[in-house]
Amino acid sequence: MQKFVIVGGDAAGMSAAMQIVRRLPDASVVALEMGDTFSYAQCGLPYYIGGDIPETDNLIARSAETFRNKYGIDARTYHKVTKIHPSEKTVDFINMQSGEAGTVPYDRLLIATGARPVVPEWEGIDLQGVFVLKTIRDAERIREYVRNGEVNKCVIIGGGPIGIEMAEALSASEKKVTILDRNPQLATAWNSEIAEIAKQHMEENGVLVKPEQNVKGIVGQNGKAAAVETESETLEADLVLLAVGVAPNSELAKDAGVQLGVRNAIQVNARMETNLPGIYAAGDVAVHYHRVKKKDDYIPLGTTANKQGRIAGINMSGEQAAFAGIVGSAVMKVFELGLARTGLSRKEAEDLGMEVEVVTINTKDHAGYYPNAEDLSIQLIVEKSAGQLVGGQAAGKSGADKRVDVLATALYHELTVHELLDLDLTYAPPFNGVWDPIQQAARRF
Amino acid sequence: MQKFVIVGGDAAGMSAAMQIVRRLPDASVVALEMGDTFSYAQCGLPYYIGGDIPETDNLIARSAETFRNKYGIDARTYHKVTKIHPSEKTVDFINMQSGEAGTVPYDRLLIATGARPVVPEWEGIDLQGVFVLKTIRDAERIREYVRNGEVNKCVIIGGGPIGIEMAEALSASEKKVTILDRNPQLATAWNSEIAEIAKQHMEENGVLVKPEQNVKGIVGQNGKAAAVETESETLEADLVLLAVGVAPNSELAKDAGVQLGVRNAIQVNARMETNLPGIYAAGDVAVHYHRVKKKDDYIPLGTTANKQGRIAGINMSGEQAAFAGIVGSAVMKVFELGLARTGLSRKEAEDLGMEVEVVTINTKDHAGYYPNAEDLSIQLIVEKSAGQLVGGQAAGKSGADKRVDVLATALYHELTVHELLDLDLTYAPPFNGVWDPIQQAARRF
């Protein structure tokens, strides 16, 4: 009987486990999860805090019990893996509830330990009222603190997707929200023009947006957070959310001799194999091959974790599958706005030495004469010499995600900007213009 | 000075004219339009009748005056072309207002005469209250008849997009609407399962849907339509809309020796050239190369007319461009529902001798735990042996168009159903599932 061990019971790990049990019903599959929850929808947490989602139970796709009883996976919570022994093909764990230690053998091992929020070494970081958002417990703590405490002013440090989604979530509780970023703009994965649309919309919704802020520390009063101190000012804050990025939980792998890559994520090939025989990695702890950059990158997202986990599981089962790579697609809700992107931003392209033209069009999501046409801004990032499409971005109350999904599909096959004009996209006045906005943009190149 | 003549002043014709004047500012471009309006949004007409669009002026993209004064195009309304003389390179016209006849010479000629509604030879077809919908004047006549007349019961003959959109438009005026089709289902471009969703939704909105009805004629009373008689029953009708399809206005071309193709549409190559030197055709009068069928088809749509017109104009100007072909994409609004499709339907695939599997998934447009998730049904039509995607369809209140646009882009590059799983589509709970519905469907293959 083949023995599989999965370290980490979230998207990547359990996608792999499901592929294995489906292919090898007699195999032994042990899934060791350090926390108390398997397979939860991390991306839903801001909406639980904001109140759109009533219970955290809504966010649990499958419980440990389901994995055990329905799929025969030995899914264990509170099991922290302490060491991997590649030569013995075993892993040591400790049961964090009982304190008991143990060892499980494996033929094939998946490291799917995910990522953790980066916590800077600032003064006051341990004060009450200072949070990160990663787990269901984090979300419950924040929601409770917001509802039961005396929170009026929230400062969010970091203007990426989590920071921005949390700005909306905390505004829903009628708190005064300020969001800081050390960069000249929020949403640095987007071009400045698109990020500016988001900034204005956030400000219209009462959020104070402060770019170019270097945080020095958090000031407390009676053990609770009271203010955030930056190099230029002091901002009152009853609640501070740290959203300055994530780092892969790759230490366990590194200690075992697994090779790391970009940003200390685990180096994997297209089959999700590490450098050590029988050891695979996937999801937020692994590198992600970027099809447009044509090299590994580190962009941890749930979609990618599910895909990589699936690929890992197929290969671990003895079949063949290759991860095709990401193209850098993402979308986020910014109050009423959708902000979407795929491929390379202007900066990413320039960092790779490409000479690009950014074509912008400000148009409507559907025929202008049909009711409720909404503003939609589209940018195409085009490599100049050959007219190669290398990226696309969009912002609007309706249809930004749709256009970027089309562009993501186009990037998959390396379409030129000219070929975008050939696409036979659906049209009727309530849904589109007779030339889709991405084609309107392409015609400007 | 090069002389260009465009016959027909709508999407295809004026797209071509604009390409020519942009490339050859000194050229003579004469555009002869038989009707009173240039470049109008035909697809918007049902929404004018339904009241969503207040004025027909909203539907005119550019007037004849704009073409004349701003772009230097000699745009003439009420000019009916009566004969093309390929050997002399001239066209004869008659000014339908003044009655004067004339002749214009051309170096290059574009036939963009569009299509006309098919009017069956039924008894009573000339009665007052019997309409087709093609032009702005048609729409005005229908709206006036609905508003000023004593219209209570409307019967629409033909369950294609125009019939269905008009069922909604006439329901908006609180008329009792019945829609007939001779086929076993409405919306025959869609698979029966998707068409059934539309049918149920129409019925929920008070429309009486009657498939498998062979119309015999229209019965009048005092010169006005009073009932539609089918082989099985007599349906009272104060207003009858004929929406049984369109036919290309290709007689003029045929008389001149231009070769016709599928469904009597003008045969063109990828450059929009006909068999006669210097004569081009584009839009609803021409054939449309279908990339998935790998042969010419006839699917007249505004999107295609714009694309073909643009290609024709570029080639007529002396540059090179090829029409990449359609993949059969379309979307329509059915009350609150979006119904979208691309590629081949099950029937189209089977008619081509393909052995296909139709994979169906009934899911939600975005994460089920996030508020307002709407039902979304997706079908993938997959060629069995190689898993080649050959078509896709969707129905739902939100996101059907988005998924079909992604599939249309995938079809452009002949993706397999397996490759759909590789697509890096945008995800956040308000916009999508972590596996996009098309990927959820693909996983079922």
Side-chain angles (χ1 to χ4, degrees):
Chain A
M1 190 180 64
Q2 281 193 73
K3 297 181 290 295
F4 296 90
V5 173
I6 312 286
V7 188
D10 216 319
M14 300 321 286
S15 290
M18 292 295 286
Q19 292 296 326
I20 295 167
V21 295
R22 196 168 300 161
R23 285 173 165 74
L24 304 171
D26 298 328
S28 149
V29 182
V30 178
L32 304 171
E33 165 57 39
M34 185 173 70
D36 58 1
T37 319
F38 272 77
S39 285
Y40 70 99
Q42 197 189 315
C43 302
L45 298 179
Y47 305 103
Y48 164 74
I49 295 167
D52 281 333
I53 297 169
E55 304 287 340
T56 49
D57 282 354
N58 302 129
L59 297 173
I60 297 172
R62 291 194 182 102
S63 67
E65 289 68 37
T66 304
F67 283 119
R68 280 197 296 269
N69 302 336
K70 190 162 171 196
Y71 300 106
I73 297 167
D74 182 359
R76 311 183 197 171
T77 49
Y78 300 111
H79 275 61
K80 183 181 166 68
V81 172
T82 51
K83 202 163 177 64
I84 299 167
H85 302 280
S87 42
E88 289 87 38
K89 294 207 158 187
T90 60
V91 302
D92 298 340
F93 64 81
I94 185 161
N95 181 329
M96 295 170 78
Q97 280 188 310
S98 68
E100 275 178 280
T103 296
V104 281
Y106 67 81
D107 296 309
R108 286 181 174 168
L109 173 71
L110 177 66
I111 305 174
T113 43
R116 61 175 175 275
V118 170
V119 179
E121 293 185 352
W122 292 328
E123 210 169 311
I125 211 82
D126 293 324
L127 287 164
Q128 212 188 328
V130 180
F131 297 95
V132 294
L133 177 61
K134 170 72 188 173
T135 65
I136 283 190
R137 300 307 149 226
D138 292 336
E140 286 173 346
R141 277 190 287 268
I142 295 171
R143 182 150 135 169
E144 197 183 344
Y145 200 79
V146 169
R147 295 197 171 180
N148 298 345
E150 284 163 12
V151 175
N152 289 306
K153 291 178 179 163
C154 304
V155 172
I156 296 166
I157 305 174
I162 291 179
I164 289 176
E165 288 168 356
M166 281 300 297
E168 180 181 345
L170 293 169
S171 297
S173 318
E174 291 180 55
K175 308 302 172 195
K176 180 76 197 145
V177 177
T178 302
I179 184 165
L180 313 180
D181 203 292
R182 62 180 176 180
N183 298 294
Q185 68 174 58
L186 267 63
T188 50
W190 277 261
N191 291 342
S192 56
E193 300 86 351
I194 299 289
E196 179 64 23
I197 295 170
K199 176 175 183 273
Q200 287 184 14
H201 187 66
M202 291 175 79
E203 288 172 343
E204 285 163 17
N205 282 278
V207 175
L208 190 61
V209 181
K210 287 181 167 283
E212 294 188 301
Q213 295 286 334
N214 282 305
V215 173
K216 286 165 61 188
I218 299 154
V219 180
Q221 208 167 19
N222 308 324
K224 291 183 180 178
V228 172
E229 219 169 281
T230 75
E231 283 179 0
S232 55
E233 59 185 316
T234 299
L235 295 153
E236 289 182 38
D238 312 310
L239 185 152
V240 178
L241 181 79
L242 302 172
V244 296
V246 298
N249 292 318
S250 56
E251 291 79 1
L252 183 73
K254 189 186 174 196
D255 290 347
V258 172
Q259 192 191 320
L260 305 187
V262 190
R263 302 235 338 250
N264 287 325
I266 296 176
Q267 185 65 49
V268 289
N269 63 16
R271 301 186 73 227
M272 300 293 111
E273 294 167 329
T274 68
N275 61 312
L276 297 184
I279 303 187
Y280 297 74
D284 290 5
V285 76
V287 301
H288 311 116
Y289 179 73
H290 195 302
R291 287 175 74 88
V292 185
K293 293 185 177 173
K294 300 193 193 305
K295 62 179 184 181
D296 288 318
D297 203 342
Y298 181 67
I299 306 179
L301 287 172
T303 44
T304 306
N306 273 284
K307 287 192 184 81
Q308 285 196 333
R310 179 177 165 274
I311 299 290
I314 295 171
N315 286 308
M316 290 170 76
S317 306
E319 296 185 25
Q320 296 283 335
F323 178 60
I326 60 171
V327 295
S329 304
V331 65
M332 64 176 160
K333 181 170 174 285
V334 185
F335 293 89
E336 289 174 72
L337 216 58
L339 218 67
R341 57 99 68 213
T342 189
L344 311 181
S345 65
R346 180 195 283 121
K347 184 174 181 313
E348 283 178 304
E350 288 173 354
D351 286 351
L352 289 168
M354 291 183 185
E355 205 183 333
V356 291
E357 182 174 333
V358 177
V359 191
T360 305
I361 192 155
N362 298 305
T363 182
K364 297 287 180 184
D365 68 314
H366 62 247
Y369 57 76
Y370 187 84
N372 306 320
E374 298 281 3
D375 290 338
L376 181 64
S377 296
I378 302 263
Q379 289 198 320
L380 302 179
I381 299 93
V382 186
E383 194 277 320
K384 266 185 186 173
S385 62
Q388 190 65 49
L389 178 76
V390 297
Q393 308 196 354
K397 290 184 183 173
S398 169
D401 56 328
K402 164 165 128 171
R403 275 52 179 229
V404 165
D405 277 355
V406 169
L407 292 172
T409 309
L411 280 178
Y412 189 83
H413 275 280
E414 305 189 349
L415 257 68
T416 65
V417 67
H418 313 294
E419 287 174 304
L420 289 179
L421 295 182
D422 295 336
L423 293 178
D424 186 13
L425 301 171
T426 59
Y427 165 64
F431 299 97
N432 214 345
V434 70
W435 289 101
D436 184 281
I438 64 175
Q439 296 176 320
Q440 295 171 35
R443 292 185 71 172
R444 297 211 169 176
F445 178 73
Chain B
M1 192 179 67
Q2 281 194 73
K3 298 182 290 294
F4 296 89
V5 172
I6 312 287
V7 187
D10 216 320
M14 300 321 285
S15 290
M18 292 296 286
Q19 292 296 327
I20 296 167
V21 296
R22 195 169 299 161
R23 284 173 165 75
L24 305 169
D26 298 329
S28 149
V29 181
V30 178
L32 304 171
E33 165 57 40
M34 185 173 71
D36 58 2
T37 319
F38 272 78
S39 285
Y40 69 99
Q42 197 190 314
C43 302
L45 297 179
Y47 305 103
Y48 164 74
I49 294 167
D52 281 332
I53 297 169
E55 303 288 340
T56 50
D57 282 355
N58 302 128
L59 297 173
I60 297 172
R62 292 191 181 102
S63 67
E65 290 68 36
T66 304
F67 283 119
R68 281 197 295 270
N69 302 335
K70 192 164 169 194
Y71 300 105
I73 297 167
D74 182 358
R76 311 182 196 172
T77 49
Y78 300 111
H79 275 62
K80 183 181 166 69
V81 171
T82 51
K83 203 165 177 61
I84 300 166
H85 302 280
S87 44
E88 290 87 37
K89 292 204 157 189
T90 60
V91 302
D92 297 340
F93 65 80
I94 185 161
N95 181 329
M96 293 170 78
Q97 279 188 311
S98 67
E100 275 179 282
T103 295
V104 281
Y106 66 83
D107 296 310
R108 287 180 173 168
L109 174 72
L110 177 66
I111 304 174
T113 43
R116 60 175 177 273
V118 170
V119 179
E121 293 184 354
W122 291 327
E123 210 168 311
I125 211 82
D126 293 323
L127 287 165
Q128 214 186 329
V130 180
F131 297 96
V132 294
L133 177 61
K134 170 73 187 172
T135 65
I136 284 190
R137 299 307 148 228
D138 292 335
E140 287 172 345
R141 276 191 288 268
I142 295 172
R143 181 150 136 168
E144 197 183 346
Y145 200 78
V146 169
R147 294 195 172 182
N148 298 345
E150 286 163 11
V151 175
N152 288 306
K153 292 179 178 162
C154 304
V155 171
I156 296 168
I157 304 173
I162 291 179
I164 289 175
E165 287 168 355
M166 281 301 296
E168 180 181 347
L170 293 169
S171 297
S173 318
E174 292 180 55
K175 308 302 173 197
K176 180 75 198 145
V177 178
T178 301
I179 184 165
L180 312 180
D181 203 292
R182 62 179 176 180
N183 298 294
Q185 69 174 60
L186 266 64
T188 50
W190 277 260
N191 291 341
S192 57
E193 300 86 351
I194 299 288
E196 179 62 25
I197 295 170
K199 175 176 184 271
Q200 286 185 13
H201 187 66
M202 291 176 78
E203 288 173 343
E204 283 162 18
N205 282 278
V207 175
L208 191 61
V209 180
K210 288 182 167 281
E212 295 188 300
Q213 294 286 333
N214 282 307
V215 172
K216 286 165 62 187
I218 299 153
V219 181
Q221 206 166 21
N222 308 324
K224 292 182 179 178
V228 172
E229 220 169 280
T230 76
E231 285 179 0
S232 55
E233 59 185 316
T234 299
L235 296 152
E236 289 182 40
D238 312 309
L239 185 152
V240 178
L241 181 78
L242 303 172
V244 296
V246 299
N249 291 319
S250 57
E251 291 79 2
L252 183 73
K254 189 185 175 196
D255 290 347
V258 173
Q259 192 191 319
L260 305 188
V262 191
R263 303 235 339 249
N264 288 326
I266 296 175
Q267 185 64 50
V268 289
N269 63 17
R271 303 186 72 229
M272 301 291 112
E273 294 168 330
T274 69
N275 61 313
L276 297 184
I279 303 187
Y280 297 73
D284 291 3
V285 76
V287 300
H288 311 116
Y289 180 73
H290 196 302
R291 286 175 75 88
V292 184
K293 293 185 177 174
K294 300 193 192 306
K295 62 180 185 179
D296 288 318
D297 202 342
Y298 181 68
I299 305 180
L301 287 173
T303 43
T304 305
N306 273 282
K307 288 193 184 82
Q308 286 196 332
R310 179 178 165 274
I311 299 291
I314 295 172
N315 287 309
M316 290 169 77
S317 305
E319 294 183 27
Q320 296 283 335
F323 178 59
I326 61 171
V327 294
S329 304
V331 65
M332 64 175 158
K333 181 171 174 284
V334 185
F335 293 89
E336 289 173 72
L337 216 58
L339 218 67
R341 58 100 66 215
T342 189
L344 311 182
S345 66
R346 179 194 284 119
K347 184 175 183 310
E348 282 178 306
E350 288 172 353
D351 287 351
L352 289 168
M354 290 182 187
E355 204 182 333
V356 291
E357 181 175 333
V358 177
V359 191
T360 305
I361 191 157
N362 298 306
T363 182
K364 297 288 180 183
D365 68 316
H366 63 247
Y369 59 76
Y370 188 84
N372 304 321
E374 298 281 4
D375 289 339
L376 181 64
S377 296
I378 303 263
Q379 288 198 319
L380 302 180
I381 298 94
V382 185
E383 193 277 320
K384 267 187 184 170
S385 62
Q388 189 66 49
L389 178 77
V390 298
Q393 307 197 353
K397 290 185 183 173
S398 170
D401 56 330
K402 165 165 126 171
R403 273 51 178 231
V404 166
D405 278 356
V406 168
L407 292 173
T409 308
L411 280 178
Y412 189 82
H413 275 281
E414 305 190 350
L415 257 67
T416 65
V417 68
H418 312 293
E419 288 175 303
L420 290 179
L421 296 184
D422 294 336
L423 293 179
D424 186 12
L425 302 171
T426 60
Y427 164 64
F431 300 97
N432 214 345
V434 69
W435 288 103
D436 185 281
I438 63 176
Q439 295 176 321
Q440 295 171 34
R443 292 184 71 171
R444 297 212 168 176
F445 178 71

